[in-house]
Amino acid sequence: MIKNYLKIAIRNILRNKVFSFINIAGIAVAIAVAGLIMLYVQYEWGYDRFYPNTNRIYLVYCKDPGNFFIGSDLYAVTPEPLGTAMKNEFPDIENYVTLGRWNKALVKVANRKVFEENILCATAPDLFKMFSYNFTAGNPETALSQPNTVVLSENVAHRFFGAEEPIGKTVEINIYGKTQVWTVTGVFRAMPNNSQFSSYGIVTSFDTYASTIADRKDSFQWGNNSWFTYLLLRKGTNVETLQAKFPLFVQKNIPASVEEGEEFFLQQIADTHLFSKANFGFGVAGNLSLVSVLSAIAIVILAIASINYMNLATARGSVRAREVGVRKVIGAKRSQLIAQFMGESMMLALTAGVIGLVLVEILLRLFSRLVGVDFGSGSLSHPSFVVGFLVVILIVGLLSGAYPALVLSMYRPAAVVKGSAKSGKRSSLRNVLVTAQFAASIALISCTIIILSQLNYIQTKNMGYNRQNIIVVPINLEKSIFQHVGMFEEKLREHSFVSSVTACSFLPIDIESNTEVHATGRTGSKNAQAYCIYGGYAFLKTFEIQIVEGRDFSSLVATDSSSGIIINQTLQKALGRDGTVGRMVNINGQRFRVVGVMKDFNLHSVRHKIQPLFYAMGGWRQYLCVRVQPGHIGPTISLIKTLWNRFGAQRPFTHTLMNDDFKKMYGNEERLSQAVSFSSGLAILIACMGLFGLITFSIERRRKEIGIRKVLGATVAEVVSLLSSEFLLVVMVANLIAWPVAFFLMRDWLNGFAYRTPLGLVPFIVAAITTLGIAGAAVGFHAVKAAMANPVESLRYE
Amino acid sequence: MIKLTAIEKYYENRVIKTFVLRNINLEVKEGEFVSVMGPSGSGKTTLLNIIGMLDAPSNGEYYFLDEPVHKMSEKRLTELHKTYIGFVFQSYHLIDELTVYENLETPLLYQRVNSNNRKGRVAETLDRFGMVAKKDLFPNQLSGGQQQLVAIARAVIAEPKLILADEPTGNLHSEQGKEIMDLLKKLNEQGTTIIQVTHSETNAAYGNRIIRLKDGWIEK
Ligand SMILES: Nc1ncnc2c1ncn2[C@@H]1O[C@H](COP(=O)(O)OP(=O)(O)O)[C@@H](O)[C@H]1O
Ligand SMILES: [Mg+2]
């Protein structure tokens, strides 16, 4: 019996090439898209979720009431004594780990090369136990018990020593200008890419690290939040109950002198990636919106392809009706027929699945770049992917097969034999399904246009600074440059194509540090929380930020560099009366005079409103920014590189262009737009393939009617409009359904931006025209062909 | 009204030219009732289709009301056939999805007859053919004879000068067939030119002239 079914299924696939192609191609593409997206979702969802103890590991985060940083007063960093104190206080805590990190440390390996590495400093061996590090050499219990010892990941060990035995070798590590020799005592298997520790190939003990920076005593005290604290709770611990005890704990443990009303909370480690609540988290933050948008897209595209199958299978029902009738006459039960038709759709889904898997393999690298995630090797043979992929195929097979199986198996043999089975007729359910397909495609197209126009708005909006032709060189880690930055700048200024040079603490596109500005006590003035940026005399000139009141800093006024500030218009408003040129304000206990007011510029991404900001001289410098004459970027970069080496820098020279840094800031939006535009293209393609199939069938079925109408005097145009109107109506209705959906989705999305493009009618009209055009072409092609046919042909054999 | 000179029709499939009509010379005057007879496959339908402008001859000249059909544009052809010619087929060819009323209305729609006028003419035709009670039924709810009646009503509703009927009684009982033939006769007496294809000598006798086709030739 099975063999019989199989034969019929294969013959049906082969006999109806157009339908089979539409079905298999559509479903294969849909399955491929779903597979890729599943890979990404599994990766993101699985982030930090795979440690054996994951659901008992919690991050302690801290609320610093009123101290807002980019809209949130929650921080992932905590004081160093916290872990020990909590462990002592609460029996529910089985263990804890305190973490510090030193990114881009310079590591010198036995007179060989210098590497830039990220170092993790942790209370060992608890780190290894809590996160189940897998050691291939050395003993995790004792590896870091001696001072100045390190363990390496296999990758790093290989990079440092090649095939040589790493245990016992030494490396020179430079921390805060002090070089120390550390001995390798262990090697562990690298963490998967979706672990927050994956980029930390060197681990040292917290004590070793602490002794290296022992002169920074205040780093280790209550009140200094620089460390990450992870807790391993005992099985069965109630997190709510435990958290409720924290306020009392704070009162008891934190000295009144540094207590500022902090509150502590717990978040499960696996949630910290996608649902991170706190600033300054340890790992990279996940892109939750991309995860959810892509998941939705996968479902929509699978649904569109499945609907194609359902529609084409039922539309062709009358063709199969005879077979069904005959089978019933010779004794088939309905359940057997259902099984047969389900089997066919399963086989089709399986075939499409195989093609889909090939597509996944081909598209993996492109996709990985699109979502900005490196899935690592072997991701396609990972059990979770394999199982997931099979489940997708199974669901598609069931979903697309169930309805046709029910309908087809329902034909009554008498009706079929009499030749009056009416399955090929237009069915309202079929129209509903096609409408749904198109509504989804149209919604995606409108969203694409809106997202792209917001991206364009970001690219073209005047942010208040000029980001073109600026070379950015990070200098904070390179002592030789950092300490002689003035001389470095002088050397650059000697060249005519260098317009201006400034060192600064942040780039104006994203200013990360803030502090309190206190009024000096007169009535009508107010305190304000303000962001601060430090730069040289040429800071405003370099970024072409305008002064609207007062003046820029001048080297001729001695007090400018020590006690002058320039505030932006927003801070001016916030300070009230003290926000006037010439007034004094108090910052961190020091008095500053307001020298000038600069025009507001966007100091963060356009997601956020412009915040109060002041600019002062001196302070910490992270970047050297060089504005060059247009067309001189290349030569200037070589010039800086030459100088970099002449100054005796140890680190390799790196640079960026400010315009690229700016674009990178909107990487999430960029990815979203690419994902959505790509998938809307696919959705409309698959939907149109289905439409094409349906119209082929519908015209086939109406050949006789078309012939009669032509004999009665219908013109080609009349026949075409007769054939197309039904489908165009469907597309029109789909537009009406899709618009509000897209409108509300996009309104919410745009509301996430403080500065945004207006949400007008244009995207919806463009989407309508696009879909009507594409669907019209698919339908029109067939309709014209059918209308031009000689009616004699279609009426001859009756 | 109709003048065919040296009409030929052949189909070319790969290598061979298959002739269906050869050297057909035929004249039909207004008001005539012509019966075309001949064995199956002799080219009767093809001839009727050419006269009805549904098909083009391979060679020869065709004048309809003294206009050269063989030189006409597609548009003019459609125009001519929809104003002057009505068709009746052996298998009726009604539109299954439309009611009797709507089937009758369709040719008028294509001729852009305005709504009031259309209603009047459909009502009048229904009345004339005694089908008022059936106007809301679909073709598959009618008997074969009733369907052919509707088909003839549809052919005459546009008041054609010429009716082409291809075996109009071929699918009917002799009883129903007689009814249809009487109807055609009546239409002819009222002035409509009729060309019918038939296998039955009895039915052929309704006409005033018989043309016999054999292997594409007109038998003398
Ligand atoms: N499109 C075509 N291609 C090839 N042969 C055709 C075509 N149409 C009709 N014929 C042939 O032309 C001949 C005459 O057909 P037809 O006019 O239908 O005959 P009749 O109506 O007298 O039975 C038949 O042999 C038929 O097979
Ligand atoms: Mg015939």
Side-chain angles (χ1 to χ4, degrees):
Chain A
M1 203 51 157
I2 298 278
K3 214 172 122 195
N4 182 314
Y5 290 165
L6 212 63
K7 241 190 294 183
I8 286 188
I10 290 172
R11 282 184 195 157
N12 260 312
I13 288 180
L14 293 179
R15 189 178 319 138
N16 302 286
K17 298 215 170 61
V18 174
F19 294 106
S20 307
F21 174 78
I22 289 173
N23 279 329
I24 295 183
I27 293 179
V29 169
I31 287 182
V33 169
L36 287 169
I37 290 176
M38 189 177 69
L39 202 62
Y40 173 65
V41 172
Q42 282 181 349
Y43 176 94
E44 288 288 294
W45 189 250
Y47 208 98
D48 282 331
R49 203 175 287 276
F50 52 85
Y51 311 113
N53 294 324
T54 289
N55 46 26
R56 292 196 287 134
I57 303 175
Y58 284 81
L59 167 78
V60 187
Y61 67 94
C62 168
K63 179 180 168 124
D64 192 354
N67 180 12
F68 279 93
F69 182 79
I70 314 189
S72 160
D73 58 354
L74 303 174
Y75 298 88
V77 280
T78 50
E80 193 274 336
L82 181 72
T84 326
M86 281 195 160
K87 170 94 169 41
N88 290 338
E89 178 95 15
F90 302 112
D92 277 342
I93 298 174
E94 185 177 314
N95 206 348
Y96 73 95
V97 174
T98 305
L99 293 178
R101 57 180 168 186
W102 182 245
N103 287 351
K104 292 193 180 178
L106 275 191
V107 182
K108 204 161 161 196
V109 181
N111 299 331
R112 259 190 279 174
K113 272 183 81 176
V114 177
F115 298 87
E116 266 187 359
E117 296 293 335
N118 297 335
I119 301 180
L120 181 64
C121 323
T123 46
D126 299 328
L127 172 82
F128 304 137
K129 261 189 275 174
M130 199 188 276
F131 294 99
S132 313
Y133 273 69
N134 190 347
F135 272 65
T136 55
N139 179 351
E141 280 295 328
T142 55
L144 296 180
S145 53
Q146 298 300 315
N148 289 12
T149 48
V150 285
V151 293
L152 309 178
S153 76
E154 282 178 327
N155 305 354
V156 169
H158 188 262
R159 208 171 333 128
F160 285 0
F161 308 111
E164 292 170 40
E165 168 66 42
I167 303 284
K169 290 258 173 13
T170 58
V171 292
E172 283 176 27
I173 299 181
N174 182 315
I175 292 186
Y176 292 117
K178 269 184 275 174
T179 301
Q180 302 200 357
V181 177
W182 296 11
T183 310
V184 179
T185 54
V187 176
F188 60 88
R189 200 150 274 158
M191 283 286 183
N193 287 355
N194 58 348
S195 157
Q196 55 177 293
F197 303 121
S198 67
S199 60
Y200 291 84
I202 304 183
V203 182
T204 185
S205 75
F206 197 86
D207 294 338
T208 297
Y209 181 59
S211 70
T212 321
I213 55 169
D215 48 336
R216 307 182 167 215
K217 280 229 166 48
D218 57 342
S219 300
F220 302 101
Q221 287 165 1
W222 289 105
N224 184 305
N225 294 11
S226 322
W227 314 96
F228 298 91
T229 310
Y230 286 97
L231 305 180
L232 179 66
L233 304 185
R234 284 189 205 285
K235 287 196 179 93
T237 302
N238 183 321
V239 177
E240 301 296 321
T241 324
L242 181 59
Q243 278 189 149
K245 295 176 189 157
F246 287 170
L248 217 68
F249 165 85
V250 169
Q251 267 185 28
K252 203 169 126 189
N253 288 276
I254 303 189
S257 56
V258 293
E259 212 257 23
E260 285 181 329
E262 297 99 321
E263 297 167 50
F264 293 101
F265 301 93
L266 299 177
Q267 187 175 28
Q268 220 250 305
I269 185 170
D271 292 340
T272 59
H273 179 64
L274 283 179
F275 309 98
S276 162
K277 296 176 178 160
N279 287 317
F280 307 137
F282 190 97
V284 279
N287 191 342
L288 180 63
S289 64
L290 193 61
V291 169
S292 19
V293 167
L294 283 178
S295 309
I297 282 173
I299 292 168
V300 166
I301 290 189
L302 280 177
I304 289 179
S306 300
I307 287 177
N308 277 356
Y309 182 87
M310 291 190 236
N311 278 342
L312 295 179
T314 52
R316 285 186 46 243
S318 55
V319 183
R320 300 297 296 273
R322 172 175 293 277
E323 181 195 335
V324 173
V326 173
R327 281 184 187 278
K328 281 199 170 172
V329 168
I330 58 179
K333 278 188 294 198
R334 189 167 175 213
S335 58
Q336 290 171 317
L337 289 168
I338 292 180
Q340 179 191 343
F341 289 118
M342 290 296 286
E344 279 182 27
S345 70
M346 277 296 172
M347 211 176 82
L348 196 105
L350 215 61
T351 314
V354 173
I355 301 172
L357 191 62
V358 175
L359 286 176
V360 168
E361 185 86 53
I362 294 170
L363 295 175
L364 185 57
R365 281 177 63 194
L366 193 78
F367 179 73
S368 145
R369 209 166 334 132
L370 177 77
V371 294
V373 161
D374 176 8
F375 297 107
S377 58
S379 49
L380 293 188
S381 50
H382 199 277
S384 62
F385 176 78
V386 174
V387 171
F389 198 76
L390 285 174
V391 168
V392 168
I393 292 175
L394 198 73
I395 289 176
V396 168
L398 284 174
L399 198 73
S400 44
Y403 172 65
L406 289 180
V407 172
L408 295 183
S409 63
M410 218 159 53
Y411 293 138
R412 265 177 286 126
V416 173
V417 172
K418 256 172 47 195
S420 60
K422 279 280 160 24
S423 63
K425 296 259 152 162
R426 58 199 73 157
S427 112
S428 48
L429 179 65
R430 199 141 61 222
N431 278 345
V432 168
L433 291 175
V434 176
T435 310
Q437 284 183 312
F438 271 86
S441 311
I442 293 160
L444 278 171
I445 292 178
S446 330
C447 292
T448 306
I449 299 170
I450 294 165
I451 292 173
L452 287 177
S453 68
Q454 172 66 8
L455 269 183
N456 180 56
Y457 170 84
I458 293 170
Q459 289 300 333
T460 52
K461 179 185 190 310
N462 180 0
M463 297 285 172
Y465 48 76
N466 180 353
R467 58 180 186 272
Q468 308 297 338
N469 295 312
I470 292 187
I471 301 165
V472 179
V473 183
I475 54 168
N476 56 321
L477 298 176
E478 184 51 61
K479 216 170 64 181
S480 57
I481 309 287
F482 186 75
Q483 290 178 342
H484 305 105
V485 96
M487 246 156 65
F488 201 95
E489 289 179 12
E490 277 314 314
K491 287 270 178 252
L492 281 171
R493 283 198 198 97
E494 285 169 8
H495 300 269
S496 60
F497 48 84
V498 173
S499 314
S500 93
V501 185
T502 188
C504 49
S505 55
F506 297 100
L507 294 180
I509 55 174
D510 196 17
I511 296 174
E512 288 186 355
S513 141
N514 63 1
T515 183
E516 192 94 25
V517 177
H518 294 275
T520 45
R522 265 167 243 176
T523 50
S525 58
K526 292 168 270 183
N527 292 353
Q529 186 85 23
Y531 287 81
C532 47
I533 188 161
Y534 296 101
Y537 285 110
F539 174 78
L540 295 182
K541 185 176 164 225
T542 305
F543 295 106
E544 296 181 3
I545 296 163
Q546 291 170 18
I547 286 279
V548 289
E549 255 178 62
R551 57 176 178 83
D552 196 354
F553 291 137
S554 158
S555 49
L556 302 175
V557 185
T559 49
D560 273 6
S561 63
S562 57
S563 60
I565 58 167
I566 293 175
I567 61 178
N568 74 351
Q569 291 166 306
T570 308
L571 179 56
Q572 181 178 33
K573 256 177 247 135
L575 285 174
R577 274 185 45 161
D578 270 354
T580 320
V581 172
R583 287 289 169 91
M584 302 297 285
V585 292
N586 220 323
I587 301 167
N588 295 335
Q590 203 194 327
R591 285 165 72 84
F592 286 84
R593 183 177 300 280
V594 177
V595 168
V597 179
M598 57 187 161
K599 196 164 176 202
D600 272 343
F601 62 88
N602 284 79
L603 49 145
H604 299 116
S605 123
V606 291
R607 291 189 163 277
H608 307 285
K609 277 213 115 48
I610 293 176
Q611 299 290 317
L613 169 80
F614 67 83
Y615 147 47
M617 297 197 52
W620 182 53
R621 310 292 169 84
Q622 203 176 172
Y623 302 107
L624 187 69
C625 299
V626 184
R627 170 171 294 286
V628 299
Q629 303 283 349
H632 287 84
I633 289 185
T636 313
I637 290 172
S638 342
L639 170 69
I640 302 173
K641 191 171 179 186
T642 317
L643 285 173
W644 180 269
N645 293 328
R646 199 179 305 153
F647 271 64
Q650 296 206 8
R651 284 169 189 270
F653 168 73
T654 57
H655 74 277
T656 54
L657 297 180
M658 184 170 165
N659 201 24
D660 295 343
D661 294 335
F662 175 84
K663 279 194 194 129
K664 212 181 277 167
M665 200 163 63
Y666 296 98
N668 279 358
E669 283 77 18
E670 183 83 43
R671 285 188 189 122
L672 189 73
S673 82
Q674 285 172 351
V676 174
S677 41
F678 181 67
S679 53
S680 62
L682 266 186
I684 189 83
L685 180 78
I686 300 178
C688 276
M689 271 163 50
L691 188 70
F692 192 80
L694 266 191
I695 185 94
T696 311
F697 182 80
S698 148
I699 285 174
E700 191 57 39
R701 188 173 52 77
R702 293 173 78 172
R703 263 169 70 96
K704 182 188 138 198
E705 182 193 335
I706 295 167
I708 298 170
R709 286 184 184 272
K710 283 194 77 179
V711 168
L712 295 179
T715 60
V716 171
E718 279 160 338
V719 172
V720 169
S721 80
L722 170 81
L723 293 174
S724 327
S725 56
E726 186 182 338
F727 289 97
L728 295 185
L729 186 74
V730 161
V731 176
M732 244 126 73
V733 172
N735 267 294
L736 294 185
I737 296 171
W739 288 357
V741 174
F743 176 83
F744 288 114
L745 278 177
M746 281 297 102
R747 199 186 53 177
D748 278 1
W749 183 73
L750 282 174
N751 279 342
F753 294 89
Y755 304 92
R756 55 187 177 252
T757 176
L759 186 51
L761 270 180
V762 178
F764 302 104
I765 292 171
V766 173
I769 293 174
T770 315
T771 43
L772 275 175
I774 298 178
V779 171
F781 168 76
H782 265 331
V784 169
K785 220 172 76 183
M788 306 265 278
N790 187 343
V792 173
E793 300 287 328
S794 42
L795 296 182
R796 180 183 307 122
Y797 306 104
E798 265 298 314
Chain B
M1 178 186 216
I2 290 166
K3 188 161 178 266
L4 304 177
T5 11
I7 289 290
E8 284 189 338
K9 178 75 182 176
Y10 52 79
Y11 293 101
E12 277 172 300
N13 62 340
R14 278 177 248 130
V15 276
I16 326 167
K17 258 192 201 176
T18 327
F19 277 88
V20 178
L21 294 175
R22 297 165 193 264
N23 193 27
I24 302 284
N25 295 293
L26 178 66
E27 199 161 341
V28 178
K29 299 233 151 48
E30 259 193 275
E32 273 196 285
F33 189 157
V34 177
S35 302
V36 179
M37 296 191 77
S40 206
S42 58
K44 306 180 296 290
T45 299
T46 310
L47 178 63
L48 223 55
N49 285 341
I50 287 175
I51 294 174
M53 300 169 205
L54 296 178
D55 214 349
S58 312
N59 280 313
E61 293 181 347
Y62 172 16
Y63 293 88
F64 185 84
L65 296 173
D66 298 326
E67 285 193 69
V69 174
H70 51 279
K71 288 182 188 159
M72 269 177 210
S73 71
E74 184 76 28
K75 209 171 152 208
R76 178 84 187 111
L77 278 178
T78 315
E79 205 52 47
L80 265 185
H81 101 230
K82 86 178 168 197
T83 35
Y84 292 115
I85 305 175
F87 291 87
V88 179
F89 300 94
Q90 177 178 353
S91 45
Y92 331 129
H93 286 333
L94 298 174
I95 298 176
D96 297 333
E97 287 81 1
L98 302 181
T99 61
V100 167
Y101 184 98
E102 290 159 347
N103 263 291
L104 292 187
E105 195 183 23
T106 309
L108 302 182
L109 285 172
Y110 290 131
Q111 293 191 17
R112 308 246 180 279
V113 175
N114 74 36
S115 160
N116 277 338
N117 210 337
R118 212 162 60 219
K119 270 186 201 145
R121 273 164 73 179
V122 175
E124 184 194 318
T125 311
L126 283 168
D127 195 33
R128 183 169 153 207
F129 284 78
M131 292 185 303
V132 180
K134 307 217 158 44
K135 72 177 173 37
D136 291 324
L137 298 183
F138 286 91
N140 59 12
Q141 294 169 303
L142 299 174
S143 74
Q146 289 168 330
Q147 289 190 42
Q148 192 61 300
L149 215 58
V150 177
I152 294 176
R154 188 180 63 181
V156 302
I157 194 165
E159 292 163 0
K161 282 192 179 326
L162 172 66
I163 289 181
L164 299 172
D166 192 350
E167 302 188 38
T169 60
N171 284 359
L172 301 178
H173 309 301
S174 52
E175 184 70 18
Q176 293 172 322
K178 187 172 174 308
E179 217 174 294
I180 297 294
M181 288 317 298
D182 288 338
L183 181 59
L184 286 177
K185 185 77 195 159
K186 206 164 100 199
L187 287 170
N188 178 243
E189 280 158 7
Q190 288 163 3
T192 315
T193 313
I194 294 178
I195 303 178
Q196 69 156 343
V197 167
T198 180
H199 283 298
S200 133
E201 295 286 347
T202 330
N203 288 348
Y206 278 85
N208 41 31
R209 180 149 72 104
I210 296 179
I211 291 164
R212 294 182 192 275
L213 272 183
K214 199 175 178 203
D215 296 335
W217 303 89
I218 293 185
E219 278 189 306
K220 288 283 147 44

